[in-house]
Amino acid sequence: MDKNFWVKLKSQLLEFLLEIGPELIYALVILIFGIFLIKILMRILKGTLRKSRVELSLKTFLESLSVFLLYGFLFFVVGSILGIKTTSFIAVFGAAGIAIGLALQGSLSNFAGGVLILVFKPFKIGDLINVNDNLGFVEQIDILYTRIKTFDGRIITMPNGNVSNSDVDNRTMEKYRRIDLDLKFSFDTDMDEIRRVVTNGMNTHPKLATHLPVDVWLNEIGEYQMKIKARCWVESIEFWPAYWEQLEAVKKELDREGIIIPIPKHKIYKEDPA
């Protein structure tokens, strides 16, 4: 290539830099300042939400949504400074929105699911829920996903779209929850005695909801034994520890009173050949 080509290229490049240089520097400054400003605004928003009475699940959602909107606005401003027309921006965003919408239908469904969760509040952060056979405490509700922590320390991340379209068993929404114990006794055991002993055993629990009844009833007459249903109430958050402790307390009280829980027995008769 001759020397004139490089001179012409250098001249065109210099002309381009002189033309777009100020806008480029200005856009870069706005970009850096915008990122710094967004961090300050997010810090203020987090502090305001922390002091307010807004639920923790809604706080997390608002923070995630705010970051998305603020950065989107910043890129729009930077593009406008660089000479990209507003109509072009709208057209590009519109086309991109359609393409992204088709490609990310699941994510949009998850976003809509997150909105439904925050509006109708089937659960909140800290609740014990069972969704699709996953039992655990709600740790976090984001724009797209909900995270729960199981009793054995696992973190399960569930798409909000699936959660909002599933049956949610919220086990801590109500303050109190009933414990049901299924017990079996032989037919020759006195029912009134069973009721007295089992009730005494359950009433010893320190976290028992004393304003709610303790019930012991004959639930079913089986083929070989009576089936008893013993019920009491505790705070929902204490359900599983109280369940095991109540079962143990009833067993100890039965042993103390000498009431035996029956064990199935089979009698075998041998015919005399004579």
Side-chain angles (χ1 to χ4, degrees):
M1 297 181 182
D2 57 8
K3 186 177 180 181
N4 291 334
F5 172 80
W6 293 108
V7 172
K8 186 177 180 180
L9 180 62
K10 182 179 179 181
S11 176
Q12 291 177 346
L13 180 61
L14 183 60
E15 183 179 348
F16 173 77
L17 290 175
L18 289 175
E19 181 179 352
I20 200 172
E23 287 81 3
L24 186 62
I25 295 174
Y26 185 43
L28 185 61
V29 171
I30 292 297
L31 179 63
I32 296 172
F33 176 76
I35 293 174
F36 178 73
L37 182 61
I38 288 174
K39 291 182 178 180
I40 294 177
L41 291 175
M42 288 305 302
R43 193 176 303 162
I44 295 173
L45 177 62
K46 289 179 180 180
T48 303
L49 292 175
R50 194 179 301 114
K51 295 177 182 178
S52 66
R53 296 182 179 180
V54 178
E55 292 183 1
L56 185 58
S57 53
L58 183 58
K59 291 178 184 178
T60 306
F61 187 87
L62 288 176
E63 289 173 7
S64 302
L65 184 60
S66 299
V67 169
F68 177 79
L69 294 177
L70 288 173
Y71 274 102
F73 179 72
L74 176 60
F75 293 144
F76 175 80
V77 172
V78 171
S80 300
I81 293 173
L82 292 175
I84 302 176
K85 296 181 180 180
T86 305
T87 53
S88 300
F89 247 115
I90 295 174
V92 170
F93 275 114
I98 294 174
I100 294 172
L102 294 174
L104 301 176
Q105 293 183 21
S107 296
L108 294 176
S109 173
N110 293 337
F111 176 81
V115 173
L116 291 174
I117 290 171
L118 292 171
V119 170
F120 294 102
K121 299 179 181 179
F123 57 84
K124 62 182 183 298
I125 291 178
D127 282 353
L128 176 64
I129 63 172
N130 188 351
V131 182
N132 298 326
D133 294 328
N134 295 314
L135 177 65
F137 291 94
V138 180
E139 290 280 309
Q140 189 173 352
I141 303 174
D142 289 332
I143 292 179
L144 303 179
Y145 298 98
T146 293
R147 291 178 175 84
I148 66 172
K149 185 175 182 179
T150 63
F151 283 98
D152 57 353
R154 293 177 295 128
I155 297 294
I156 298 178
T157 302
M158 302 179 294
N160 285 336
N162 293 345
V163 175
S164 63
N165 290 317
S166 300
D167 294 334
V168 178
D169 180 8
N170 191 326
R171 301 187 179 181
T172 50
M173 179 176 285
E174 291 292 330
K175 184 176 181 180
Y176 296 100
R177 187 176 170 192
R178 193 181 70 192
I179 292 175
D180 289 15
L181 301 181
D182 293 312
L183 307 170
K184 297 178 181 180
F185 298 92
S186 60
F187 288 118
D188 56 357
T189 308
D190 183 69
M191 185 62 211
D192 292 331
E193 183 71 6
I194 292 174
R195 181 175 287 111
R196 180 186 67 81
V197 173
V198 173
T199 301
N200 289 341
M202 299 182 77
N203 279 328
T204 59
H205 196 281
K207 295 181 179 178
L208 184 73
T210 54
H211 65 288
L212 295 172
V214 176
D215 298 319
V216 180
W217 298 101
L218 176 60
N219 190 51
E220 184 181 344
I221 298 177
E223 189 174 356
Y224 301 105
Q225 69 274 319
M226 298 185 297
K227 296 182 179 180
I228 306 298
K229 179 79 72 173
R231 307 182 303 186
C232 69
W233 294 81
V234 295
E235 290 193 9
S236 299
I237 199 66
E238 300 288 344
F239 177 83
W240 282 111
Y243 176 88
W244 293 317
E245 290 164 1
Q246 287 288 40
L247 196 60
E248 184 176 333
V250 168
K251 175 62 169 63
K252 290 180 178 179
E253 192 68 20
L254 291 172
D255 292 342
R256 189 178 295 111
E257 295 290 337
I259 299 177
I260 300 174
I261 297 177
I263 300 174
K265 298 178 181 179
H266 297 277
K267 290 184 178 181
I268 300 176
Y269 298 92
K270 182 179 179 181
E271 290 188 4
D272 188 349

